[in-house]
Amino acid sequence: MRVALSQQGEARVARTKVTIDRRAIEKMARNIQREFDKHPIKVPVQADSDPTRGVLPDPHTTIGLGCVQFLDWLDEMSPRASRVRDFLPTIGIDGAVSQDEAPPWLRQVVSILDETGLVHVSGAMSGYLDYSLWLTDRGVRNVAERAARRQSRLLRRATCRQGVLLWLDECTGGGLGSPQLDEIFTTPWATFEGDLFTVEDVDLACRYLADKNLIVRQPLSLTSDGIDCVENFNASVTDYLAHRGNASVTINNLSNISGGQIAIGNRDVQQNQTNGIAVADLTAFASALRGVAHELADERATALTNVADQIEEEAGRDEPDQTWLLRLAERSRRLLQGAEGIAAVAGVVEQANKVISALSG
């Protein structure tokens, strides 16, 4: 019976003519689209709420460089997980050392890489040196992006020049003597995206910086322009040179130390005094610094001699830099602090005070 009814039903459907109201369908579609436009569907997207996620410390610090080197090493070891202690031989340390013998910054590197989501960490009861780590997708991208930046010769050269300037500023900021150039290779400043600069890289950077009057190579030190570049342009040579090319010209007139008149300016200043009295006073001050340097038996002797050389060099320019001379005089006074027991020091400190007073206006 059921089969017979089914066959009869199918026969009736076959004989029925079906019509489609296309206008009604189009109208319905327009109404639906209008509703979607008024109330669009919102699909939740999961994203990091922390904007620092994946951001590493400055690679020119010990911690930052350690993070970069560790990530690059993990990339080489991928896809398998690697223990922290397996990384130690890459930095010249025996992998069998205890936690107390490992570099104190290494534990912090592991913690930062975990917190930034660049690595997965699997703990171990025996301590963090036996933790297993492997790169996350974010870590893989970090390594790939740095590898791409390393291919830029322009960026490499610019970073090397900046590193030399910042390293020299770091070395000489405490009033110590002029460093040796090869010492930069013991610091993070000699790296580009975690990759060590070559001797040729650094030598070319120094030649360029010396040509632009940003450093003096013998003895190795920053010029007044170099200090200006570091302090006001974060050692970006490109930005500094662009600014210097657009600098305006001004004139500064200052009263003198001993009855004459000084006209001293910075790199944008024209000197309008030619009596030479200021030069003589500054030269005498430089000679006094060298004299008292011989009385000192510590590192300040070399630093004072270096300051004296730079004062004479700047004073001999057609347009001496007032700001640089003032800094040199203030540095000499700081170096003399604590040595007042030496007879000649008191007189030189008095000279320094007069120079500073004159240059300060």
Side-chain angles (χ1 to χ4, degrees):
M1 178 64 69
R2 289 181 181 176
V3 173
L5 288 175
S6 177
Q7 290 175 343
Q8 292 175 1
E10 290 177 359
R12 285 196 298 269
V13 171
R15 291 194 299 267
T16 303
K17 183 178 180 181
V18 179
T19 60
I20 299 175
D21 190 343
R22 297 185 181 277
R23 290 183 179 180
I25 293 175
E26 290 174 356
K27 181 179 179 181
M28 182 177 63
R30 287 195 298 270
N31 290 337
I32 293 173
Q33 182 63 52
R34 190 178 298 113
E35 289 301 315
F36 273 119
D37 292 339
K38 291 180 181 179
H39 308 287
I41 297 174
K42 297 180 180 180
V43 179
V45 178
Q46 185 175 3
D48 292 326
S49 59
D50 184 359
T52 64
R53 189 76 167 162
V55 177
L56 294 175
D58 184 347
H60 295 121
T61 62
T62 300
I63 297 296
L65 180 59
C67 289
V68 169
Q69 290 178 329
F70 204 106
L71 286 172
D72 288 344
W73 173 74
L74 281 178
D75 183 61
E76 293 175 1
M77 304 301 290
S78 294
R80 62 187 179 86
S82 301
R83 296 183 306 167
V84 175
R85 69 170 62 252
D86 296 332
F87 169 73
L88 292 173
T90 66
I91 55 174
I93 299 176
D94 187 351
V97 299
S98 66
Q99 289 189 174
D100 294 336
E101 298 170 321
W105 49 263
L106 185 56
R107 182 192 293 269
Q108 190 173 351
V109 164
V110 173
S111 177
I112 290 172
L113 294 179
D114 182 25
E115 292 171 358
T116 54
L118 295 170
V119 300
H120 289 299
V121 179
S122 177
M125 295 295 294
S126 54
Y128 84 95
L129 286 182
D130 291 311
Y131 287 0
S132 293
L133 286 79
W134 62 98
L135 292 175
T136 63
D137 290 342
R138 181 180 284 110
V140 171
R141 289 196 300 271
N142 180 282
V143 172
E145 289 167 359
R146 281 187 293 102
R149 291 194 294 270
R150 285 181 186 145
Q151 301 304 311
S152 171
R153 289 181 296 173
L154 293 177
L155 186 56
R156 184 181 183 89
R157 287 199 294 264
T159 304
C160 190
R161 294 165 187 166
Q162 183 183 41
V164 170
L165 290 177
L166 291 171
W167 169 68
L168 280 175
D169 179 68
E170 186 178 89
C171 290
T172 59
L176 299 178
S178 180
Q180 298 298 314
L181 185 58
D182 59 357
E183 294 174 12
I184 193 175
F185 291 103
T186 64
T187 73
W189 294 117
T191 61
F192 171 55
E193 298 291 350
D195 185 36
L196 189 68
F197 286 124
T198 65
V199 174
E200 182 181 9
D201 288 331
V202 176
D203 184 60
L204 288 174
C206 288
R207 290 184 188 181
Y208 183 87
L209 295 172
D211 182 64
K212 299 300 181 182
N213 194 39
L214 297 174
I215 68 169
V216 175
R217 301 200 69 175
Q218 292 295 335
L220 188 60
S221 59
L222 293 171
T223 64
S224 58
D225 286 346
I227 290 178
D228 191 13
C229 180
V230 169
E231 294 184 352
N232 298 315
F233 297 88
N234 193 33
S236 171
V237 178
T238 301
D239 291 346
Y240 176 73
L241 293 180
H243 167 80
R244 187 166 69 177
N246 296 325
S248 59
V249 176
T250 58
I251 298 175
N252 287 349
N253 292 307
L254 302 173
S255 58
N256 74 338
I257 300 173
S258 56
Q261 193 174 30
I262 300 177
I264 301 175
N266 60 20
R267 65 176 185 275
D268 305 326
V269 175
Q270 290 183 335
Q271 182 171 316
N272 63 349
Q273 299 294 326
T274 57
N275 55 28
I277 296 176
V279 174
D281 286 333
L282 291 169
T283 301
F285 176 51
S287 298
L289 289 176
R290 289 196 191 90
V292 78
H294 293 301
E295 303 293 329
L296 302 176
D298 53 24
E299 67 278 0
R300 288 178 295 178
T302 302
L304 280 172
T305 301
N306 185 36
V307 169
D309 291 342
Q310 293 182 72
I311 288 175
E312 277 193 348
E313 178 186 356
E314 192 63 36
R317 296 181 184 275
D318 293 335
E319 299 178 359
D321 188 328
Q322 171 197 346
T323 303
W324 177 229
L325 287 168
L326 177 59
R327 288 173 178 164
L328 289 172
E330 290 174 339
R331 183 182 299 178
S332 69
R333 186 170 62 180
R334 289 195 301 270
L335 288 169
L336 292 171
Q337 290 175 354
E340 288 80 359
I342 300 175
V345 169
V348 178
V349 170
E350 183 179 354
Q351 281 184 273
N353 290 333
K354 290 180 178 179
V355 171
I356 292 169
S357 177
L359 295 174
S360 299

